[in-house]
Amino acid sequence: PTQLLCVTPPWGTKYTSGNVTLHLAKLGRGKTDFTSSDIVNLCPNSTSDNNFTFYPTWTLNGMLDGLLPDDYRRYRVSASGGDSVTLRGFGFDNSRQFLCSFSYSTKYSINSSIATVLNATHIVCQFPRWQFESVDNPLVRIFVVGGGEVPTTSISLAGLSQNPSWSEFGITIAEYISNVSPVLVSCMGSTLTIHGLAFSSLASYAVTFYTEHDTNVILQTEVSFVSFNSLLVESPPCNCIDVYNLSLHRLVTLHPLFYLDVDLVSDRSFVYISMYPEVSSVFPSYLNREGGSLMTISGAGFHAPPIYYSAVFTSTVASKQVTSIETVFLSCNMFLVKVPAWDTTILSRSFQNSPAQVSIMGNDTGLVLPLNKSQNLLVSFVHVNTAPLFSAPTQLWLDVSLGFDARFNYASNMRAGSTLLEVDQNFSFSVESFMPLKLFTRSPRVEIEGSQGVLYFSAGSFGGSADMLVRLVDDGGVAFGGIDTSVDYLVTINIVQPPSISTNDTISVVENGQYLFLNFVPEMQVGFSDFTLKSFQVSSRTPTDALYYDVAPFITSNGDLSFRPVTYGFGSTSFLLQMSRLGLPGTILGQMTKNLTILILPLNQPPRFTFLGPDLFQFNESSSDILFSWPIATDIRNGPNTTAQGPRGEDWSESLQSTTFTVTADGGNIPFGQASVSQAGLLSLRLAAHASGDTTLSLRLVDNGGTDRGGKNTSDPVYFRVVINPVNDVPGFRVQCNASTHISSCQGCTDPADLSTCSVVLTVKEDCLDCEEAGASCNRSLRVRGFAQGVSASAYGSADEVASQNLTFIINNVSDTSSIFTRNGARATLDPRTGDLTLCLGEDRNGEATFTVRLHDDGGTDRGGGDTSAPMSLVVRVTAVNQPPEFVLCDGCDYVNVWAGDGAHTVSGFAPPASILKGSPAGSDLESAQSLTFALTQTSGDALAFAAGGFPAMTPDGTLTFQLEEASWGRALFSVVLADDGGGRNLSVPRAFYLTASDTYVQLRLPYTNVAYNMSLARDKARAVAALLYASARFFPGSVTTTLATGWDYYSLEVRGPGFPDSLAHSYAVDAVGWPTDICPLDDDVVCFVKDIRRRNAR
C-alpha cells in the first residue's frame, strides 16, 4: 500500500535525455490511456527530486568466433583496422556527431574516426589500426563531438535478456599478417620473419606450411616472438616441393591442441615461400685420379629429369678444371656423379694429392647451386691402388712317392692392376688356406722366381685331393680404398697313391644269369672318384675257363664287374684282373694285376615233357563203369633241354636224376574213381557209372634234384579236362483225376513215363458259374487246381535234371476250338510249378474241343536224350445255356414330353430295331427261333391317369404307344424289360425313361438376372415343366432354396454345381439340350432344377 513499481519506457530520439518529470495517474477500469484529469500528483512530492535522466545502453553487434568455447567467445576485430562495430541503444540523434575511443589500461589508447549514426537505435564505429599487442576487452568510450563523453552502462550482446559483464563477453583485437621475408629460401631450411600487427608476447603461435592441394602439410610450433609487429619461424625441409603456402595460428587451448587462424592482409590471398635446391655434402672426398669411380651428391630440392645436373671440379692450386655430365638421379635429396679422369701422369711413388673445389650446375638455371654455408665441398684427386692379376691352373697331379719336397711351376703372367701408374710395384704370393691338412707334412707356399710363381710342399703317405686358395699381393697399399690383393685362385692338388684293386679273390654265382657287380673296384684310393681316369682288363687263366661264358667277365668304366655264363653251365673258373690308369702324368705309376676266381654253382632245372593231348576228354553218361587209357606225354626229360656236359665233366643235362608224374584235380567234381600217368606217359582213367560232370586235371613231372639256391624240381603244369556229358531223360507227370467235378472221364494217367494212354474229359456249362474274371483278355477263366501231379524233368527221377532244368507244358488243339474260346484270348494253359489247368472260355459260347498235352524240358535231345513226354488227350465240352436278349432306347428317348389332353401317342423306333438282339452269340442262330416281348412298369413319379387300354406298351419292333386321360398331368419314371421264351436267363437289362405331361403354359423367372422364359414360346423344345435352367454361379454362392415371386406363382428351386452338396431328395436331373441360350444362358458351374411346382391361382 506504500510502494509502486514503474517500468521505464523506451525513450528514443523524440525526447531529451534529461529533466524528465514522473507523473502518477489513476486510470479507471478498462482505460488504456490517461488525460490530465487522471493525474494524481507528481512523484515524488518534492520538486527537487522529481527529475530523471535516461542514458543509452550500448550493445555490440558483429561477427563472433563460434568455434571457441564459451569462456573464449569474443567479438573479434582485426588489428589492421577497418572492422565495423555496431552499437545498439536508444536516444541517438542524427543531428549529433559521435566519436568512438578504444583503449587498454593506461598503455594503449587511440581514437577512431567519426562514428556513423544509422538511426535512433544504431551507431557504427570503425575500429582503428591497432599499433600495439593483441588484447582482450579494450575499453570502449563514446563521445559527442562538441560535447562530453556519453555515459554508458555495461555493453552486452544483442538479443540477450540482460547485459553480460565484460568478463563474460567482450572485444578481442586479433593479429594479422602483412608479409613474410625472405620469400626465396633454401631447401635445407631457413629462418623466416613474419610481419604483421598485434602479435603478443604472451601468446603461443604455430605456422602451417602446405602445398597448393594440401598433398603435404607441415605444422611448425616453434615460433619466436620478436615484437608486436614480427615473429620468427624456421622453414621446413622442402621434401621435393618448390613452393609452400603458409598460415599463422594462435594457440587457444592445450588439451586438445587448438589454434585460431590469424587473418591475412586484405590485398593478399595467401603468403608463400619458394624453395631452391642446395648441396650439403659429397662422398667420398678422395677420388681416383684415373676416373671412373662414383661420387654421391647429397642435399635437398634436386629434380628428376628433364632437369639434369653436372659436377665441375676446379683445382685450388693450379688452373685446371674438368666437368662430369654423367649423373644419375636417385631422389630429391641425392644423385650420383661419375668422376672424370683428372690425369694419368706417372708420378713418384708418393702419388701426391691434387685438391679441387666441386661446383654443381643445373640445366634449368645454368647457375651454380648454392652451397650450405657450413660445408666446404672440397675433394682430392689421388691414386687408388687396383688389384694385381696372375694366371694359374686349377688342377695339379703328384705321385705320392714323389711328394717329398714337391715343386710345381704354378703361377705366370703376374701384373699390376694399372699399366700406367703401378708398373713399378713389387709382388708376393699368399697361401690363404689348404684342406685337408693331413695330406701335407709341410704346408704349401708360393715363391716368385723370375717371371714364375713356384709352388713348394711336402706330401705325406696319404693319397687324396686338397683345395688351396692363393692370392697375389702388391705393395701399392690400401689408402683411399685401394686394393692390394688379387682375387682368390682355387687350385686342387691331387696326390695319387700307388694303384690298388680292392676286390674279393673269389665270388660265387649260380648258373643261368646275367650278372653285374656294382662298384666291384670300389675306389682307386687317390682321394677322388673320377673313374674316367682308369680302365681295367680281365683275361682268363686258361682257354678252358672261357668255355663257361657267353659273355666273358669285364670291368665297366664305372668299376662294375659284368659277365654272363653259358646257359645251364656251372663250374669253377680263374681270371687275371689288370688295372691301368689313363690321363695322368707319366711320372705316376699306372698299372697292377690281381687273380680272381668266379665259382658258378649248379641250379636245378625243372624236368620237361611234351604233352600229347588232347586237352579235352569227353564221354557220355553210362549205366556202368568205364575204363579208359590214353598216351598223354612223350619226350620226357630230367632237366634242361640240352645234352651237353661241362668242360670238366659237370652234369649240365641232369641226366642222372629220376622223375615221376603227378595228376591232381584243380576244380569241379571228379567223375571217376582214379587217374594216373605211368613213367612212359600213359593216362589211365576209371569213370563211375550214372555220373556226369566236368573237371580240370593238372599234370606235372617231378625230379629228385631239389630246390637249393632257388632251383626247381617240378615242371610247369599242363591242364586237361575230363567231361562226362549227361543224357537227358524225358520229363513226366501224372493226372489227378479227382482234382475237379468238371472231370467227367479220366483213364490211363498213372505212369509218368508213358502218358500216351492217358485221356481226360472236362465238362462245363456255357454260363460257367464257377468261372473267374481274369482281366480284359479273358472273360471267363476256369481253373482246375492240381490237375497235374508229380511234374518232373526226369520221368525216372534223375536228381541232376530235376535241379537244373526248366519245364513247360505244350497244349495243342486237335479240333476247332473257336466255338468255346475267345477269339483273341489265351485258350488253355498248364502251370508246371502248381499243376493248375486254366481254360479261358468265351462268353456265351458252347461246343467241344480236343487237345494234346505234353511236358517239355530244356535239357535238349543231344546224344539221344528226350526232352518231351508222350502226348495225353484232353477233351473240353461246353454245354449250351439260354442267353438274355438285348436292346437300347433311341437317342434322347430317355425323356418323353407331351401336353395334357393331346390324345393317343405312338413313338416309332422308341427301341431301334437294330438294337433288339436275341441271346445267340454273334454269327450263330442257336436262339433265332425264340420270341421276344417288351414289359413296361412305372417305378416312381406322379400317378398319371391313362385312358382305357392307353397304358404305355411296346411292340416287338420297338414302337411305344400310350394315351393319357384328358385332365391327367405330371411326370413318372418307367422301366422297360425285354424277355425271350428260351427259359433260364431270358430277361434283358432294364432301360428307363421319363414320361411328362404338361398341363399349362408356365413362366419361369430368375430374379437375380431378370431372365424370363415362357414355355409356350418353344413348346417343341421343352422337356417338362420341371425344366432345366442354368444361371451364373455368382448368384448362388451355396446350396440354397429360393422362392421366386412373379406375382401369382411361386417356385421352389434347388441349386447344384461344383462343390455343392447333392444329397437333397426328389431332385430330377434333366438334359439341357435344346434350351435357347439367348434366353436362359448355359453355365457349367451351377445347375438349377425346378424341384416342385404349386399353383396358387386357377390360371
Side-chain angles (χ1 to χ4, degrees):
T2 60
Q3 291 181 344
L4 292 175
L5 178 64
C6 294
V7 179
T8 60
W11 199 247
T13 60
K14 294 174 62 177
Y15 312 105
T16 61
S17 61
N19 298 323
V20 178
T21 301
L22 173 65
H23 295 271
L24 178 67
K26 182 176 181 181
L27 303 179
R29 182 180 299 277
K31 293 189 66 176
T32 59
D33 200 0
F34 68 94
T35 63
S36 58
S37 61
D38 296 321
I39 297 177
V40 176
N41 203 344
L42 293 175
C43 183
N45 292 330
S46 174
T47 58
S48 61
D49 296 328
N50 60 6
N51 291 331
F52 298 88
T53 299
F54 282 90
Y55 298 100
T57 297
W58 312 113
T59 300
L60 293 174
N61 184 20
M63 294 297 297
L64 300 178
D65 187 357
L67 296 178
L68 294 175
D70 290 341
D71 291 344
Y72 291 92
R73 290 175 68 91
R74 293 290 184 270
Y75 177 30
R76 300 179 68 236
V77 294
S78 174
S80 62
D83 287 339
S84 296
V85 178
T86 302
L87 305 178
R88 185 172 62 185
F90 301 99
F92 299 122
D93 190 346
N94 289 329
S95 63
R96 295 182 178 183
Q97 289 185 334
F98 295 88
L99 183 68
C100 301
S101 173
F102 297 88
S103 63
Y104 186 78
S105 70
T106 60
K107 295 191 295 182
Y108 314 128
S109 178
I110 190 169
N111 293 332
S112 72
S113 60
I114 299 299
T116 302
V117 176
L118 297 181
N119 51 48
T121 58
H122 290 81
I123 186 173
V124 178
C125 295
Q126 294 294 323
F127 188 78
R129 184 179 181 87
W130 189 259
Q131 300 291 348
F132 317 107
E133 67 178 324
S134 173
V135 297
D136 291 336
N137 306 329
L139 179 62
V140 182
R141 301 171 67 187
I142 309 298
F143 298 90
V144 178
V145 177
E149 180 179 355
V150 178
T152 63
T153 60
S154 59
I155 298 177
S156 64
L157 177 66
L160 295 181
S161 61
Q162 61 183 0
N163 295 334
S165 66
W166 276 107
S167 61
E168 295 176 349
F169 193 89
I171 296 176
T172 293
I173 300 176
E175 306 92 328
Y176 91 104
I177 306 172
S178 61
N179 59 69
V180 61
S181 63
V183 294
L184 180 63
V185 298
S186 170
C187 277
M188 301 296 294
S190 302
T191 299
L192 303 175
T193 300
I194 300 176
H195 302 281
L197 292 174
F199 298 142
S200 174
S201 61
L202 301 178
S204 296
Y205 296 95
V207 176
T208 298
F209 296 88
Y210 58 95
T211 57
E212 180 180 358
H213 300 291
D214 293 336
T215 57
N216 195 312
V217 179
I218 300 174
L219 179 65
Q220 176 62 274
T221 60
E222 300 296 329
V223 180
S224 301
F225 176 82
V226 177
S227 67
F228 300 155
N229 301 320
S230 62
L231 301 172
L232 294 181
V233 66
E234 294 295 326
S235 67
C238 66
N239 292 330
C240 305
I241 297 171
D242 293 334
V243 177
Y244 272 116
N245 298 328
L246 61 90
S247 59
L248 180 64
H249 317 279
R250 181 174 181 174
L251 178 63
V252 178
T253 61
L254 293 177
H255 304 290
L257 185 64
F258 183 81
Y259 288 95
L260 181 66
D261 287 345
V262 174
D263 293 335
L264 296 170
V265 294
S266 59
D267 60 343
R268 295 179 62 90
S269 59
F270 60 87
V271 175
Y272 69 92
I273 58 174
S274 298
M275 318 289 284
Y276 59 83
E278 186 173 347
V279 178
S280 62
S281 63
V282 297
F283 180 83
S285 59
Y286 290 95
L287 306 178
N288 191 340
R289 67 192 310 118
E290 294 186 79
S293 60
L294 294 178
M295 180 175 67
T296 301
I297 308 297
S298 300
F302 302 144
H303 288 270
I307 297 177
Y308 297 93
Y309 301 95
S310 60
V312 180
F313 301 88
T314 305
S315 174
T316 60
V317 297
S319 59
K320 183 178 180 63
Q321 187 179 79
V322 293
T323 302
S324 173
I325 61 173
E326 297 185 64
T327 60
V328 177
F329 176 81
L330 298 180
S331 69
C332 60
N333 300 317
M334 184 179 297
F335 64 89
L336 296 179
V337 174
K338 185 176 181 181
V339 178
W342 183 257
D343 65 51
T344 56
T345 304
I346 301 177
L347 303 176
S348 64
R349 290 293 302 275
S350 62
F351 296 125
Q352 66 181 22
N353 295 342
S354 298
Q357 174 73 46
V358 181
S359 300
I360 306 301
M361 304 288 290
N363 69 338
D364 56 338
T365 61
L367 299 178
V368 178
L369 300 186
L371 303 179
N372 191 300
K373 301 303 185 294
S374 63
Q375 299 291 333
N376 188 10
L377 301 185
L378 292 177
V379 296
S380 295
F381 283 95
V382 298
H383 173 67
V384 180
N385 191 28
T386 54
L389 304 170
F390 71 99
S391 300
T394 60
Q395 295 278 342
L396 294 176
W397 298 87
L398 178 67
D399 194 296
V400 73
S401 63
L402 304 176
F404 183 76
D405 288 337
R407 181 184 186 280
F408 285 92
N409 288 332
Y410 167 66
S412 62
N413 194 21
M414 297 170 288
R415 58 197 183 279
S418 173
T419 60
L420 294 176
L421 304 180
E422 301 175 5
V423 294
D424 57 349
Q425 289 181 351
N426 298 312
F427 302 108
S428 63
F429 278 98
S430 171
V431 177
E432 297 300 313
S433 64
F434 46 90
M435 295 295 289
L437 300 177
K438 68 177 183 177
L439 294 182
F440 302 95
T441 59
R442 188 168 60 192
S443 300
R445 71 184 190 280
V446 179
E447 302 278 349
I448 296 179
E449 299 179 4
S451 62
Q452 295 290 326
V454 181
L455 172 63
Y456 293 96
F457 65 88
S458 291
S461 60
F462 300 101
S465 297
D467 291 333
M468 181 176 68
L469 292 178
V470 181
R471 294 177 186 169
L472 180 63
V473 183
D474 63 28
D475 59 354
V478 294
F480 315 118
I483 301 175
D484 63 352
T485 61
S486 68
V487 297
D488 291 339
Y489 281 68
L490 175 65
V491 59
T492 300
I493 302 175
N494 302 298
I495 303 173
V496 183
Q497 283 187 322
S500 174
I501 302 176
S502 177
T503 65
N504 297 322
D505 294 334
T506 302
I507 60 175
S508 297
V509 297
V510 296
E511 66 177 69
N512 285 2
Q514 172 74 46
Y515 293 101
L516 180 67
F517 289 86
L518 300 178
N519 295 327
F520 183 73
V521 183
E523 191 172 356
M524 293 194 299
Q525 296 183 356
V526 294
F528 56 91
S529 301
D530 188 358
F531 293 107
T532 63
L533 299 177
K534 63 180 181 291
S535 67
F536 294 86
Q537 182 178 358
V538 181
S539 58
S540 58
R541 285 290 186 180
T542 65
T544 303
D545 293 320
L547 299 178
Y548 287 84
Y549 297 91
D550 286 337
V551 178
F554 68 96
I555 303 296
T556 68
S557 60
N558 293 325
D560 304 332
L561 173 64
S562 178
F563 59 88
R564 185 175 74 238
V566 297
T567 306
Y568 308 124
F570 57 87
S572 179
T573 59
S574 297
F575 293 88
L576 181 64
L577 178 60
Q578 176 179 294
M579 182 184 74
S580 299
R581 291 205 177 111
L582 304 177
L584 298 181
T587 57
I588 299 177
L589 183 62
Q591 193 176 78
M592 83 165 289
T593 59
K594 186 171 185 175
N595 291 325
L596 174 65
T597 297
I598 300 177
L599 182 59
I600 306 172
L601 302 176
L603 181 67
N604 187 31
Q605 303 300 319
R608 305 169 186 274
F609 67 92
T610 301
F611 180 67
L612 295 177
D615 55 2
L616 174 63
F617 293 91
Q618 293 196 72
F619 305 92
N620 291 335
E621 181 181 339
S622 174
S623 60
S624 59
D625 291 351
I626 300 175
L627 300 179
F628 177 77
S629 297
W630 186 265
I632 199 171
T634 187
D635 192 19
I636 301 169
R637 297 176 180 271
N638 296 348
N641 187 20
T642 181
T643 58
Q645 299 299 312
R648 296 183 175 92
E650 297 89 350
D651 186 18
W652 287 4
S653 64
E654 302 180 4
S655 60
L656 302 179
Q657 296 180 3
S658 61
T659 59
T660 56
F661 281 101
T662 61
V663 181
T664 57
D666 286 356
N669 298 322
I670 303 177
F672 42 77
Q674 63 183 10
S676 62
V677 177
S678 67
Q679 185 70 30
L682 184 63
L683 171 66
S684 297
L685 294 175
R686 184 181 183 89
L687 306 181
H690 303 293
S692 63
D694 185 346
T695 188
T696 300
L697 301 179
S698 61
L699 176 64
R700 295 174 175 86
L701 183 62
V702 182
D703 65 27
N704 61 349
T707 58
D708 293 344
R709 296 179 294 278
K712 295 179 64 177
N713 66 343
T714 304
S715 68
D716 293 334
V718 175
Y719 299 95
F720 62 94
R721 291 171 56 202
V722 176
V723 177
I724 301 178
N725 300 313
V727 177
N728 191 27
D729 294 333
V730 294
F733 66 95
R734 294 176 291 101
V735 175
Q736 186 70 25
C737 292
N738 59 356
S740 173
T741 57
H742 292 291
I743 300 177
S744 57
S745 174
C746 182
Q747 298 177 355
C749 300
T750 59
D751 185 3
D754 185 11
L755 293 173
S756 60
T757 60
C758 178
S759 176
V760 177
V761 178
L762 287 176
T763 303
V764 186
K765 290 185 178 181
E766 181 182 346
D767 55 1
C768 190
L769 299 179
D770 55 350
C771 284
E772 303 172 1
E773 182 70 29
S777 63
C778 185
N779 297 330
R780 297 178 181 180
S781 175
L782 176 65
R783 178 174 298 180
V784 180
R785 302 184 184 277
F787 178 79
Q789 298 289 321
V791 180
S792 174
S794 173
Y796 306 102
S798 296
D800 57 338
E801 297 184 18
V802 172
S804 62
Q805 294 182 3
N806 299 313
L807 298 174
T808 306
F809 276 102
I810 302 173
I811 301 178
N812 295 320
N813 56 303
V814 177
S815 62
D816 182 15
T817 62
S818 61
S819 61
I820 64 173
F821 291 110
T822 59
R823 294 184 179 91
N824 60 351
R827 299 185 177 184
T829 59
L830 187 55
D831 190 341
R833 296 172 301 172
T834 63
D836 295 348
L837 174 65
T838 302
L839 301 174
C840 188
L841 301 176
E843 186 176 0
D844 300 328
R845 296 176 182 274
N846 56 74
E848 180 177 298
T850 301
F851 304 89
T852 60
V853 180
R854 296 178 177 85
L855 180 61
H856 176 76
D857 63 32
D858 58 358
T861 59
D862 294 343
R863 298 174 293 277
D867 61 356
T868 305
S869 67
M872 63 160 286
S873 175
L874 174 62
V875 177
V876 179
R877 292 180 183 148
V878 180
T879 60
V881 176
N882 184 35
Q883 300 299 317
E886 298 179 3
F887 77 101
V888 296
L889 298 180
C890 65
D891 185 26
C893 291
D894 46 353
Y895 293 95
V896 179
N897 303 299
V898 297
W899 295 110
D902 274 359
H905 296 276
T906 300
V907 181
S908 300
F910 188 70
S915 70
I916 301 173
L917 302 174
K918 298 179 180 179
S920 300
S924 65
D925 57 354
L926 298 179
E927 300 179 7
S928 59
Q930 294 179 355
S931 299
L932 301 178
T933 304
F934 283 101
L936 283 78
T937 57
Q938 181 178 344
T939 59
S940 64
D942 298 330
L944 297 175
F946 292 93
F951 191 84
M954 291 180 64
T955 61
D957 63 354
T959 300
L960 172 66
T961 60
F962 64 92
Q963 182 177 358
L964 290 165
E965 289 185 355
E966 180 69 22
S968 180
W969 59 273
R971 185 170 109 170
L973 178 65
F974 287 87
S975 175
V976 182
V977 176
L978 180 63
D980 64 27
D981 57 357
R985 297 168 56 208
N986 67 336
L987 298 178
S988 69
V989 175
R991 309 292 180 182
F993 69 94
Y994 284 98
L995 177 59
T996 302
S998 300
D999 64 334
T1000 184
Y1001 299 134
V1002 179
Q1003 180 171 271
L1004 304 178
R1005 182 178 298 277
L1006 188 60
Y1008 294 104
T1009 59
N1010 199 27
V1011 173
Y1013 177 67
N1014 194 325
M1015 291 187 63
S1016 64
L1017 301 179
R1019 179 171 179 253
D1020 58 326
K1021 297 181 180 179
R1023 299 289 187 179
V1025 172
L1028 175 65
L1029 294 178
Y1030 284 87
S1032 174
R1034 63 180 178 274
F1035 302 122
F1036 300 95
S1039 180
V1040 298
T1041 300
T1042 305
T1043 300
L1044 305 179
T1046 61
W1048 56 277
D1049 282 334
Y1050 294 89
Y1051 305 96
S1052 176
L1053 299 181
E1054 179 182 350
V1055 179
R1056 285 191 178 186
F1060 296 124
D1062 57 358
S1063 61
L1064 298 177
H1066 307 297
S1067 299
Y1068 302 100
V1070 183
D1071 190 1
V1073 175
W1075 274 90
T1077 58
D1078 56 337
I1079 298 178
C1080 185
L1082 297 179
D1083 191 319
D1084 288 340
D1085 290 337
V1086 177
V1087 180
C1088 305
F1089 300 89
V1090 177
K1091 180 179 178 182
D1092 193 11
I1093 300 177
R1094 295 290 183 267
R1095 291 200 308 167
R1096 294 177 55 192
N1097 300 319
R1099 292 180 299 174

